[in-house]
């Protein structure tokens, strides 16, 4: 049998893995399996440029208008989902019933958004796919009010776009501040303040109990007894890794596909994982984590392609995670791995209170930095984190 690498998931990580295999002169077959019918596309524009109308859906495609830059060297199996994996038998079973043999496998199936419990009437959306984005865009053009459930980055970007379109917007957050679970209450309050300054109502320490409506959503009922009249709702309360199809396999699963520092989940059977579904071992911290960032998916895919083609010269994932969000014309950046349990230090740029930096440190070592419109400071912190530098060093450089 000819050599064959199968990549499951046709998002950024899957597309980049296929692209990198060919760039590294991999001479076996490459099959890219994707559950969606759309060609591979980029996800960050879904809550930004496409939602605002600055881009058309085709502008998000990775590569040409057909969605590839693979020159026909990769077999695309779109509209097809993985159903099961037989690791020892080196077989991937598709929802068509077909079984594909492989020499190496890359799992890049991403995540699925969580939604509200109970009946969900039309007009209540989650945002993960291109179709989700175009549906929300259509409803935004009908007008508000809009309720965003969850104050994470995706919900925040939807709120910002909606305000720019002139809609009345309310963010409902179950914790004491938006982004609290990721960056802590103090930094989360800064995120919430930005929205309040732009006319968004931010309601914290309250959750959504149910949504009512006959033909469409009309009212949101909150846990404090209040009710909000709405025209649409966008739910951003986290995601689940797409690993259900792997539950009968022998792979280790724990809130994602458990991998070593090389991105490998099963060395013997040459099974790798990349992107939002992958839980890599971080050689810097000795801990495993799923990093749901564009840059990490891109870098992990590149490393997996290298490790498949160079089994005796494996590379580890040691790049510092980086994430950005555009809201109200301001760039919010997160570099490193933030944790609310870490010590935090807040800096403000001299003469400009709007530019702030939250530094996260552990035992004097800089772990992460969250910047509000202060790109230079974030870039300096990224260098400090890369070389394992101290909080003191970061503060001195920024100032």
């Amino acid at each position: 049998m000819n050599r064959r690498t199968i990549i499951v998931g046709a998002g950024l990580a899957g597309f980049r893995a296929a692209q990198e295999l060919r760039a590294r002169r991999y001479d076996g077959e490459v099959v890219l399996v994707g559950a969606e019918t759309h060609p591979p596309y980029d996800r960050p524009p879904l809550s930004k440029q496409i939602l605002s109308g600055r881009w058309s859906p085709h502008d998000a495609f990775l590569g040409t208008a057909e969605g590839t830059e693979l020159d026909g060297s990769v077999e695309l199996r779109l509209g097809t989902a993985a159903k099961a994996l037989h690791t020892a038998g080196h077989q991937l079973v598709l929802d068509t019933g077909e079984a594909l043999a492989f020499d190496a496998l890359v799992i890049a199936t991403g995540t699925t958004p969580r939604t509200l419990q109970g009946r969900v009437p039309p007009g209540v959306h989650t945002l993960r796919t291109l179709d989700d984005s175009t549906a929300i865009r259509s409803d935004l053009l009908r007008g508000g009010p809009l309720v965003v459930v969850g104050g994470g980055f995706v919900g925040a970007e939807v709120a910002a776009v909606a305000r720019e379109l002139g809609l009345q917007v309310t963010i409902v957050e179950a914790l004491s501040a938006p982004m609290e679970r990721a960056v802590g209450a103090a930094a989360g309050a800064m995120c919430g303040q930005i929205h309040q300054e732009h006319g968004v109502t931010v309601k914290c320490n309250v959750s959504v109990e149910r949504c009512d409506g006959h033909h469409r959503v009309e009212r949101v009922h909150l846990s404090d007894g209040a009710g909000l009249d709405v025209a649409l709702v966008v739910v951003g309360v986290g995601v689940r890794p797409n690993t259900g199809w792997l539950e009968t396999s022998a792979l280790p699963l724990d809130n994602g596909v458990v991998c070593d520092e090389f991105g490998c989940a099963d060395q013997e059977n040459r099974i790798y994982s990349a992107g939002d579904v992958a839980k890599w071992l971080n050689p810097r911290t000795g801990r495993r984590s799923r990093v749901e960032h564009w840059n990490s998916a891109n870098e992990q895919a590149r490393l997996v392609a290298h490790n498949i083609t160079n089994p005796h010269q494996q590379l580890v994932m040691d790049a510092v995670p980086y994430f950005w969000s555009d809201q109200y014309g301001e760039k919010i950046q997160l570099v490193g791995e933030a944790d609310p349990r870490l010590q935090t230090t807040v800096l403000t740029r001299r003469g400009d209170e709007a530019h702030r930096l939250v530094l996260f440190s552990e035992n004097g070592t800089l772990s992460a930095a969250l910047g509000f419109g202060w790109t230079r400071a974030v870039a300096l912190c990224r260098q400090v984190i890369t070389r394992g530098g101290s909080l003191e060093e970061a503060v001195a450089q920024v100032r």
Side-chain angles (χ1 to χ4, degrees), residues 127-182:
L127 177 52
R128 180 64 183 173
T129 68
L130 187 58
D131 290 341
D132 293 338
S133 182
T134 56
I136 296 171
R137 166 74 179 167
S138 177
D139 273 1
L140 288 175
L141 295 179
R142 294 159 58 110
L146 161 69
V147 166
V148 175
V149 184
F153 276 117
V154 170
E157 289 175 353
V158 171
V161 169
R163 281 302 297 146
E164 290 166 359
L165 293 173
L167 275 69
Q168 177 186 337
V169 180
T170 300
I171 294 176
V172 176
E173 170 56 57
L175 300 179
S176 64
M179 295 296 300
E180 181 179 344
R181 186 171 285 107

Side-chain angles (χ1 to χ4, degrees), residues 370-383:
L370 174 67
F372 298 86
W374 201 352
T375 56
R376 174 184 170 274
V378 173
L380 290 171
C381 289
R382 191 175 191 175
Q383 295 172 10

